[in-house]
């Protein structure tokens, strides 16, 4: 294979070939992090991990990145109840992800980046709670296949 590596800064946009566009945004994490939006043929998938929200203040960087996306894969390490004890760690909650999706008109939410202390039973409760609030939410699982479109 012929590999090419190119540096970029969070906030940059660039093309991958002639038909795939990537937009990036800086995320709120102690060591820095970058969110990604990949667009092709009128569809968009966003990958937003290692970001910590501010309670009551939707992250404008994230909102701008995910607006109208078909799928958001979002850092949902904690629940709103767990979050206050973990402020400063650089992660978010499924509840904030749902709020962002609803504000930005996102179609579907993949809840991922789970707390290691959350076993399968906890994740099933989180998924059920998220779906009760917004039907577009689901927990990401190994070998999940999605159709965007």
């Amino acid at each position: 294979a012929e590999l090419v590596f190119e540096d970029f800064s969070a906030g940059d946009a660039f093309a991958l070939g002639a038909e795939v566009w990537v937009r990036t945004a800086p995320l709120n994490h102690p060591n820095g992090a970058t969110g990604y939006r990949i667009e092709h043929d009128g569809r968009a998938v966003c990958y937003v991990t290692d970001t910590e929200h501010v309670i009551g203040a939707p992250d404008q960087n994230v909102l701008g990145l995910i607006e109208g996306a078909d799928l958001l894969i979002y850092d949902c390490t904690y629940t709103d109840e767990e979050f206050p004890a973990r402020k400063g760690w650089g992660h978010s909650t499924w509840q904030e992800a749902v709020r962002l999706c609803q504000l930005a008109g996102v179609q579907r939410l993949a809840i991922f980046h789970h707390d290691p202390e959350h076993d399968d039973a906890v994740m099933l409760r989180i998924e059920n709670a998220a779906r009760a609030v917004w039907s577009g939410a689901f927990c990401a699982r190994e070998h999940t296949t999605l159709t965007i479109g």
Side-chain angles (χ1 to χ4, degrees):
E2 185 177 319
L3 301 177
V4 176
F5 296 90
E6 294 185 30
D7 287 333
F8 68 92
S9 296
D12 289 351
F14 50 90
L16 294 176
E19 298 182 17
V20 178
W21 288 94
V22 178
R23 286 180 28 215
T24 67
L27 301 176
N28 183 26
H29 189 271
N31 296 316
T34 302
Y36 300 88
R37 178 187 181 102
I38 302 168
E39 299 177 354
H40 172 70
D41 199 25
R43 303 291 179 199
V45 173
C46 299
Y47 179 75
V48 178
T49 186
D50 292 319
T51 190
E52 181 172 318
H53 69 279
V54 175
I55 296 172
D59 188 319
Q60 296 304 307
N61 287 340
V62 173
L63 281 174
L65 188 69
I66 69 172
E67 185 176 358
D70 296 280
L71 173 66
L72 170 60
I73 305 164
Y74 186 83
D75 181 341
C76 299
T77 308
Y78 307 118
T79 65
D80 276 356
E81 295 75 26
E82 296 169 313
F83 183 72
R86 292 160 174 87
K87 286 175 112 178
W89 292 13
H91 302 288
S92 193
T93 70
W94 70 263
Q95 291 99 327
E96 183 65 12
V98 167
R99 288 186 285 266
L100 290 167
C101 285
Q102 291 174 329
L103 285 170
V106 172
Q107 298 299 309
R108 298 171 77 189
L109 166 66
I111 295 169
F112 98 114
H113 202 215
H114 312 304
D115 185 308
E117 295 180 15
H118 290 175
D119 62 15
D120 289 347
V122 171
M123 294 312 303
L124 184 57
R125 284 195 301 273
I126 287 172
E127 182 173 57
N128 290 335
R131 285 184 181 212
V133 173
W134 187 58
S135 64
F138 65 95
C139 281
R141 291 175 174 81
E142 218 174 335
H143 305 293
T144 298
T145 302
L146 301 172
T147 300
I148 306 298

